[in-house]
Amino acid sequence: MSVELGGMMMNIIQQIPKGQVATYGQIAKLAGFPRHARYVGTLLKNMDAESELPWHRVINSQGKISLSKLDDHGMNLQIAKLREEGVVVNGDKIDLKIYLWRP
DNA sequence: GATCAGGCTCTAA
DNA sequence: ATTAGAGCCTGAT
């Protein structure tokens, strides 16, 4: 199950368009598992650098970067990558009204 | 197995 | 706008 789940999420995350973002819950939902939001983070933490996934386009439902409390370095990297794609980041916040991915 | 902690989310105060 | 509590699920001890 978890392998399949990871595969689904990976697939979804890869579909996030450049310059847009998606929330953990949204990804879990799109993958077909509505309550696995937390697993997304856990999984990404595990995968991290060795993957080509646009993990930086994944944020929490409040439009903020949850990494901020956990990994400053990673947070800065994420913000940098997002800005590279034209996403405006205020501190650790992103305007979901504008940048949220709507499939 | 039982327990704990975690890149979450929702609702209510 | 912020904070607190409860729900849900998984991976690691």
Side-chain angles (χ1 to χ4, degrees):
Chain A
M1 166 103 49
S2 53
V3 174
E4 179 184 354
L5 206 170
M8 293 297 290
M9 288 175 166
M10 190 179 92
N11 192 37
I12 299 295
I13 294 174
Q14 276 180 127
Q15 292 179 45
I16 303 173
K18 180 188 171 199
Q20 296 195 308
V21 298
T23 68
Y24 295 94
Q26 181 179 16
I27 290 169
K29 191 175 177 183
L30 288 173
F33 304 89
R35 311 207 174 75
H36 292 56
R38 304 187 88 145
Y39 181 67
V40 180
T42 306
L43 182 64
L44 288 179
K45 170 115 189 183
N46 231 322
M47 304 272 259
D48 219 9
E50 44 204 295
S51 177
E52 310 169 1
L53 291 176
W55 56 271
H56 53 276
R57 297 183 189 148
V58 183
I59 59 180
N60 64 21
S61 65
Q62 302 170 23
K64 295 183 190 169
I65 296 174
S66 309
L67 269 175
S68 45
K69 323 168 182 173
L70 209 94
D71 187 342
D72 294 339
H73 187 333
M75 177 186 87
N76 291 325
L77 179 62
Q78 177 167 15
I79 292 175
K81 290 211 166 210
L82 287 173
R83 285 184 173 153
E84 266 180 37
E85 302 181 349
V87 177
V88 175
V89 184
N90 301 324
D92 62 343
K93 281 188 310 182
I94 295 171
D95 193 341
L96 290 178
K97 288 182 185 302
I98 300 176
Y99 299 106
L100 181 64
W101 175 43
R102 297 179 176 88

